[in-house]
Amino acid sequence: ERIYFRDVDAFLFCTKNPLPLLQIYPYLEKPFLIHVTITPYQKDIEPGVIDKRKIIQAIQELSRLVGAEKIYVRYDPIFLSPKYSLDYHIRAFEKLCKQLQGSVKHYIISFLDIYKNVLRHQSTLQFQEMTLETYDLLGPAMVRISKKYGATVQTCAEGSIMHRYGFLPNDCLDEKLAQSLTGKRGFSKWKARKGKCQCVQMVDIGAYNSCQHYCQYCYANYDEKQILKRVQSHDENSSLLIGHLQKDDILRDRKVS
C-alpha cells in the first residue's frame, strides 16, 4: 500500500530515539506530535536502546524548539519483577518527571502485554502478575508525582482501570486532540484497535522484525533472526522501508475514511 503525503492530516511520531527528529522537524509541513518512550529498564531488558541521558537531552531540546505540548513521554510497558519492583518504578518515574519538568506536560503509561516474544524471554523478564493491590499503590503515586512536576498522566489501551486514581480518561490521539491539531472534524475510530482505545483512525507506518533495540518485551520483533537481514535490506532511497519494489508487487493506494 502506498501513502501520499498530500492525504496526510498529521504525523504522530513514536520512537525510543528522538535524536533524528531534531534534524527533520523544520521540514515538516503537516501538524505533528511526538511520543518518546523512556523506561527505567537496563541493558538486560533493552540491549539496543541508546543512553537514556541522550534521550532526555533530546526531549528537552525538542521541547524548547517545538513546544512542550507537542511532546508526550511514554513510560511503558510497566512490568514488575524481582529486579524492577514497585518501589523501583515509583522512584524511576519521579526521577524522570523531575528531569523533564517544564519540558513535558503529558505522560502515557501501559502495562506489559503477554505476547509470544514476552513468553520467549520470560527467563530474562521474570515478570510478575499485576494485582489490585499493585494498582492501588502505583496509581496514586504516579498521579501525585506527575502533578508535582506540572504534568498529566494517562493510560494507553488499558480501559478504565487507572481512572479511579486520577489518571486522565484520554486516549493517545482521540478525536478532540486530532481536531485541535488539524482543525478538522469527523475522524473515525481506529479500526485496528477496536475495543481497546478510542484513538482516531491512523495508518501505522512500520515493519515487523526490523528494530535493533531488541527489547525483550517487544511485540513487533517476534522473530529476532530476521532483524539483521531486514535492516541490511533497507535503502534510504527506496520508497519502501525494507528493500525495493519487485516486478510482481501490487501497489494499492491506502485510503482512510
Side-chain angles (χ1 to χ4, degrees), residues 57-164:
Q57 290 170 359
I59 291 173
Q60 292 168 334
E61 181 66 6
L62 278 169
S63 180
R64 185 183 70 81
L65 294 169
V66 307
E69 283 296 339
K70 290 184 179 293
I71 312 293
Y72 288 66
V73 164
R74 306 184 69 99
Y75 186 96
D76 76 283
I78 295 172
F79 71 88
L80 303 183
S81 72
K83 181 175 181 178
Y84 302 107
S85 65
L86 181 65
D87 287 341
Y88 179 97
H89 277 289
I90 292 173
R91 285 186 281 107
F93 185 66
E94 176 144 23
K95 181 180 178 181
L96 179 64
C97 291
K98 183 177 181 179
Q99 289 175 306
L100 292 175
Q101 185 176 16
S103 296
V104 173
K105 295 184 178 180
H106 310 288
Y107 289 90
I108 300 174
I109 71 144
S110 70
F111 299 102
L112 183 71
D113 288 318
I114 311 303
Y115 301 108
K116 289 182 179 180
N117 199 40
V118 171
L119 294 174
R120 188 180 298 118
H121 293 129
Q122 163 64 340
S123 60
T124 302
L125 294 166
Q126 298 185 47
F127 60 86
Q128 301 167 344
E129 182 183 359
M130 298 288 291
T131 65
L132 182 58
E133 182 181 7
T134 303
Y135 294 128
D136 285 343
L137 293 171
L138 182 63
M142 298 192 86
V143 170
R144 173 184 58 79
I145 291 167
S146 60
K147 286 182 177 179
K148 178 179 177 180
Y149 294 101
T152 65
V153 63
Q154 64 191 72
T155 59
C156 172
E158 295 291 348
S160 61
I161 190 169
M162 303 299 281
H163 294 173
R164 74 186 78 178

Side-chain angles (χ1 to χ4, degrees), residues 117-232:
N117 199 40
V118 171
L119 294 174
R120 188 180 298 118
H121 293 129
Q122 163 64 340
S123 60
T124 302
L125 294 166
Q126 298 185 47
F127 60 86
Q128 301 167 344
E129 182 183 359
M130 298 288 291
T131 65
L132 182 58
E133 182 181 7
T134 303
Y135 294 128
D136 285 343
L137 293 171
L138 182 63
M142 298 192 86
V143 170
R144 173 184 58 79
I145 291 167
S146 60
K147 286 182 177 179
K148 178 179 177 180
Y149 294 101
T152 65
V153 63
Q154 64 191 72
T155 59
C156 172
E158 295 291 348
S160 61
I161 190 169
M162 303 299 281
H163 294 173
R164 74 186 78 178
Y165 310 115
F167 278 64
L168 294 184
N170 297 0
D171 291 273
C172 300
L173 186 52
D174 59 18
E175 187 168 5
K176 182 179 179 180
L177 180 55
Q179 182 181 334
S180 68
L181 189 64
T182 66
K184 297 184 178 182
R185 297 174 178 266
F187 291 96
S188 58
K189 294 292 187 293
W190 196 2
K191 298 175 184 176
R193 307 197 72 181
K194 187 176 181 180
K196 291 189 176 182
C197 74
Q198 297 297 312
C199 285
V200 299
Q201 179 68 22
M202 291 180 268
V203 175
D204 193 356
I205 302 175
Y208 287 99
N209 301 315
S210 62
C211 178
Q212 292 183 290
H213 288 151
Y214 292 99
C215 298
Q216 302 292 282
Y217 51 73
C218 182
Y219 69 92
N221 283 347
Y222 57 84
D223 186 353
E224 294 177 353
K225 295 179 181 178
Q226 294 186 31
I227 294 174
L228 184 59
K229 180 179 178 181
R230 304 203 82 191
V231 169
Q232 291 174 337

